[in-house]
Amino acid sequence: MKQVYDAVIIGAGVVGSAVARELARFHLKIGVLEKELDVGCETSSRNTGVLHAGFTYKTGSLKAQCSVEGNAEFDKVAEELDIPFKRTGKVVVGFDEKDRQSLIKYKAIGDANGVPGLTMIDKQRLEELDSSAGGEFAMYAPSSAILNPFIYTIALAENARQNGVDFYFDQEVIGIQRINDLYEITTRHGVYQTRWVVNCAGLNAARISTLLGIDGYTIAGFKGEYFVLDKRVGKYLNMPVYPAPGPTGGFATHATPTVDGNVLVGPSSELVEDFADYGATPAVMENLIADGAKMFKHMKREHFIRNFSGIRPKLINKETRQVLDFVVEARAEAPNTINLVGIESPGLTCALPLARRAVALMREQEALTPNESFNPRRKGILCFAGQSREVQKELIAQDPNYGEIICRCETVTKAEILAAVHNCLGVETVLGIKNRTRATMGRCQGGYCETRIAEIIQEELQKKATGVIYGRPGSTMFTGRVRV
């Protein structure tokens, strides 16, 4: 007999994980289906990690409303979920009169959207805020912030799991049919029954929407490539530095500090048909170097430690190719479904506001009983490197595994790796450990620690070497052992 859920969420990105957490506030049996082997493996983690203020989005749009709402509440959210987060502010810089008029335009939009504290500043004030920023003048947005997108998505999912939500990985949805008031969802590895379906499939949202019986959506994939710069230059960048927006509101290459001390330069923006095309493009990367140098004065090749890319799922009008607003809907032709389509940037900022709107649509059709035992708090893995010497000594005394450094570049201890291996979501990949601890993210990019992490996975989870997976389905790391 198949297990029947009250609600199944398709997609465990930041929005799907946020919906899972918000639904867990009610007495419901909830499942989440994800085609990857962990949460947040695509758009939700392949981005700049900026908490947007909301000044480039059309007044009254969901993007504008949810950005301002999500930004304003994030101090509380970060405290509840124990995630790294900094209110750095952001400068959007200009070089000529055309840029100045653009900034004046978007300041007016931001003011209308309720973005607090937007100010036009001159070069002297820009130098005071961040001497590494390019530009002759700027708009300063003090409410903008930076966060770790991996940890945020993981925290939402872990908190949902701690409140009873079931997560199923490697479960790509290939069929949906409605039988006797229940949806039967077929994946490549199983069948799940549910009264409600919530589509949070990101890049695949239009395909899932069609499977639900809601046609007409077109998702265009816009690929953005990035450089990651070494922590040695992180000290030079105080806040995100963006160029003045173009006529349609989009940004070109920008420079952004991370909460962990690196600098990201990017993204580019190229239309792609293959939603799994995460490769690097030499010509694009060369352009990033030239454009990035305009934003950040310390943009040098010697500081590059890696590159990556992400794909933004833009919902577009098929005829005009105009980029459309977020869609959060309940449609009569698909009873008991909530459909979220076109959730791209600023989706990270908007995740919880969008989740609340999705739950509100469900509550319009069904009375939901609050779960009095819901606990909104989640504790993350303690970062050994971020502790004082005294605390580090105490930790080692309590647990000798804190005295064994597995990742030298990021000073990640065996105790942290073990905590990540035994995460409550059941994720067993090397990438899953990386995203939870920052191990392999340093200058050597795993040259020292990656095999040590793989060995710990084998020992703790009783796996053979051939069973260790890097990140995606099929990404086996080893064919066997060469030495016994």
Side-chain angles (χ1 to χ4, degrees):
M1 183 176 179
K2 298 183 180 71
Q3 195 172 38
V4 179
Y5 284 93
D6 293 308
V8 165
I9 300 158
I10 300 174
V14 68
V15 175
S17 298
V19 171
R21 180 179 187 252
E22 291 306 298
L23 281 178
R25 295 178 183 273
F26 302 93
H27 282 291
L28 295 167
K29 187 168 181 58
I30 305 158
V32 181
L33 304 180
E34 169 55 48
K35 71 181 182 66
E36 300 297 330
L37 300 180
D38 196 359
V39 300
C41 285
E42 296 189 305
T43 307
S44 298
S45 61
R46 294 173 173 270
N47 59 67
T48 321
V50 170
L51 191 76
H52 290 289
F55 52 79
T56 60
Y57 314 114
K58 183 179 178 181
T59 302
S61 67
L62 265 180
K63 289 181 180 180
Q65 293 173 25
C66 292
S67 287
V68 174
E69 184 180 321
N71 184 295
E73 71 179 348
F74 210 82
D75 294 84
K76 178 184 177 183
V77 171
E79 190 271 330
E80 284 183 342
L81 295 175
D82 190 25
I83 61 172
F85 162 68
K86 293 180 183 177
R87 288 270 180 200
T88 56
K90 178 191 336 188
V91 287
V92 188
V93 302
F95 296 88
D96 55 28
E97 185 57 29
K98 184 175 72 172
D99 290 343
R100 187 183 299 278
Q101 293 307 311
S102 173
L103 295 181
I104 291 171
K105 170 187 173 181
Y106 285 103
K107 180 183 180 301
I109 293 173
D111 291 341
N113 289 347
V115 177
L118 293 176
T119 309
M120 293 294 293
I121 60 174
D122 59 17
K123 190 174 181 64
Q124 180 180 344
R125 178 59 176 147
L126 177 59
E127 289 275 345
E128 292 171 356
L129 288 171
D130 198 319
S131 60
S132 294
E136 297 300 314
F137 51 86
M139 178 177 70
Y140 175 45
S143 66
S144 294
I146 55 175
L147 65 146
N148 184 318
F150 313 109
I151 297 297
Y152 181 36
T153 305
I154 289 165
L156 288 167
E158 287 185 349
N159 189 232
R161 178 71 194 107
Q162 290 161 354
N163 283 285
V165 176
D166 296 329
F167 282 77
Y168 299 94
F169 299 109
D170 196 16
Q171 299 291 335
E172 182 177 2
V173 173
I174 57 175
I176 303 175
Q177 55 181 333
R178 188 166 169 81
I179 304 172
N180 298 327
D181 296 329
L182 286 177
Y183 283 97
E184 191 165 273
I185 304 174
T186 302
T187 74
R188 297 196 182 279
H189 301 293
V191 178
Y192 301 83
Q193 290 184 325
T194 180
R195 296 191 301 108
W196 283 86
V197 179
V198 185
N199 176 15
C200 297
L203 286 163
N204 293 287
R207 181 178 69 84
I208 298 300
S209 182
T210 299
L211 290 177
L212 289 170
I214 304 172
D215 292 312
Y217 289 121
T218 300
I219 296 291
F222 281 79
K223 180 179 178 180
E225 301 184 32
Y226 293 84
F227 276 113
V228 182
L229 276 61
D230 194 287
K231 284 184 174 182
R232 68 183 67 179
V233 295
K235 62 185 177 183
Y236 297 121
L237 191 64
N238 298 330
M239 62 184 63
V241 180
Y242 281 49
T248 60
F251 287 109
T253 301
H254 38 273
T256 305
T258 73
V259 289
D260 301 298
N262 299 98
V263 173
L264 303 180
V265 175
S268 57
S269 184
E270 291 81 37
L271 182 65
V272 293
E273 294 184 4
D274 181 0
F275 288 177
D277 175 16
Y278 293 122
T281 312
V284 170
M285 302 307 282
E286 287 296 324
N287 288 336
L288 281 184
I289 295 172
D291 291 344
K294 298 175 185 176
M295 298 295 106
F296 181 50
K297 297 174 183 177
H298 297 273
M299 182 72 178
K300 298 178 182 179
R301 292 177 187 268
E302 65 209 58
H303 301 314
F304 300 168
I305 61 172
R306 72 163 296 147
N307 56 272
F308 71 97
S309 64
I311 300 175
R312 302 183 290 278
K314 293 183 181 289
L315 177 63
I316 63 170
N317 182 303
K318 196 172 184 178
E319 283 72 39
T320 66
R321 310 302 290 180
Q322 178 185 4
V323 177
L324 304 176
D325 196 9
F326 294 157
V327 169
V328 183
E329 64 180 2
R331 297 269 286 268
E333 63 265 42
N336 281 34
T337 66
I338 307 297
N339 204 32
L340 292 90
V341 185
I343 313 300
E344 50 136 353
S345 180
L348 195 70
T349 307
C350 298
L352 281 170
L354 288 170
R356 288 192 290 270
R357 283 159 174 78
V359 173
L361 288 176
M362 186 181 293
R363 297 185 75 182
E364 288 177 5
Q365 301 181 52
E366 179 177 313
L368 301 182
T369 305
N371 177 10
E372 297 82 1
S373 65
F374 175 82
N375 181 2
R377 310 189 76 82
R378 166 262 186 194
K379 189 65 178 173
I381 297 171
L382 185 143
C383 176
F384 181 83
Q387 309 304 311
S388 68
R389 287 289 186 185
E390 291 73 21
V391 171
Q392 287 178 345
K393 289 178 181 178
E394 291 176 8
L395 288 170
I396 294 170
Q398 294 167 11
D399 182 354
N401 287 319
Y402 278 113
E404 183 177 346
I405 305 298
I406 300 298
C407 174
R408 291 177 174 177
C409 296
E410 296 294 316
T411 319
V412 180
T413 66
K414 185 175 182 179
E416 293 163 86
I417 301 296
L418 289 171
V421 168
H422 296 292
N423 67 88
C424 66
L425 295 175
V427 174
E428 302 176 351
T429 64
V430 172
L431 180 61
I433 309 310
K434 171 182 178 178
N435 289 343
R436 286 163 174 79
T437 66
R438 283 192 57 81
T440 82
M441 289 191 185
R443 183 79 189 182
C444 83
Q445 289 293 292
Y448 175 79
C449 63
E450 192 169 87
T451 54
R452 288 164 176 80
I453 293 169
E455 186 175 32
I456 293 172
I457 291 173
Q458 290 179 66
E459 292 174 353
E460 292 295 312
L461 303 178
Q462 301 300 302
K463 286 182 174 293
K464 295 181 179 179
T466 52
V468 178
I469 301 295
Y470 179 75
R472 310 196 81 170
S475 59
T476 305
M477 294 183 65
F478 311 106
T479 58
R481 298 186 70 89
V482 295
R483 182 179 300 174
V484 179

